[in-house]
Structures are given as C-alpha cells and as structure tokens.
Amino acid sequence: AGAMYAENQSCLNDGNEQCGFVYSSMEQSSFTAPIEGTSDGCSPPHYSTSLGFTVGFYHSHGIYDPSLGVGNDIFSNQTPDDPGGDIPFANMWGLPLSVATPGGNVIIYYPAKQCQQYFWGTPITISGYTPPMC
C-alpha cells in the first residue's frame, strides 16, 4: 500500500521518486507518509523509531521515462552484473523493499530469501535473466 501511495504522490508532484518506511508496533503494521526519495534520506537509520520497529521500506519509480526502457518498470538491478540499485540496497539493510512502478507493477523483494514477489503486474525478463520468484 505504501509503494502504491508513493507512486501516486510521484505523479501528483514533479515525477520524483518517493520513499518511506513500513513499521510495526503492538501487532499492527503501517507505513510512513512518502517523502522525496534519496538513498540517504530513505535509509532505515534516518527513520524515527518513535512509531515502532522498522520492518521494511518502499519507494516509487516516479513518472515513466521511455528512455529507461523496462528498467523503470521493475526493481533496479535485475541482472547479476548490475552493481547498484534497489536489490543491493535492500540486501545491505536486510529489510524487505516494495516498489510501485509507472507501468503498474507492485513488487516486493525479500533479502533473507533472495527472491521477489509480484503483487500486481507481471515478472519481466531482461536479457534472458528472470530474478528468482518467491
């Protein structure tokens, strides 16, 4: 839900990436309001723990840019030789990351299992590589 809300906010603003955190407190989960995304501003240590425990984070990919090809509609780093992007960021923090994309995909990546699940949309294969599905 947070990722879908972030994608909506991206479209309402200037098309920038939006991000936020998923937290759990007293057996309830929710998400923070999205902010304009940067890898620094969306890192778990910058999140106020007064709301509860950080259990994941989310972001949008902003407005669709055809020059990015399918890369704008999936997690960044979908190929084994890509050194940066969403998947390494999630692996670094060890927390699930969900993303909503301009083409309508809603995806969550689970670092502990090294797999992803599509909640909306369809998996995309790039150069013969399809990331592991949960």
Side-chain angles (χ1 to χ4, degrees):
M4 292 183 346
Y5 182 60
E7 186 62 36
N8 183 57
Q9 291 302 106
S10 292
C11 293
L12 292 175
N13 293 315
D14 61 1
N16 57 4
E17 181 178 313
Q18 299 279 311
C19 66
F21 299 93
V22 178
Y23 62 91
S24 180
S25 177
M26 299 175 64
E27 299 182 20
Q28 295 181 345
S29 294
S30 190
F31 57 91
T32 61
I35 60 170
E36 185 170 347
T38 65
S39 60
D40 184 52
C42 290
S43 297
H46 296 280
Y47 164 60
S48 170
T49 58
S50 63
L51 296 173
F53 296 102
T54 304
V55 295
F57 45 102
Y58 67 86
H59 79 101
S60 67
H61 275 185
I63 293 176
Y64 184 69
D65 181 351
S67 70
L68 296 174
V70 296
N72 202 32
D73 206 33
I74 55 176
F75 280 123
S76 56
N77 189 8
Q78 289 288 311
T79 59
D81 59 347
D82 184 351
D86 298 335
I87 290 174
F89 187 77
N91 286 337
M92 179 176 70
W93 294 107
L95 294 171
L97 168 65
S98 57
V99 65
T101 69
N105 282 332
V106 178
I107 315 157
I108 188 166
Y109 173 74
Y110 298 96
K113 296 180 181 181
Q114 298 284 303
C115 64
Q116 57 190 321
Q117 184 172 2
Y118 282 74
F119 287 97
W120 194 270
T122 57
I124 297 170
T125 300
I126 298 176
S127 303
Y129 175 72
T130 301
M133 298 294 149
C134 296

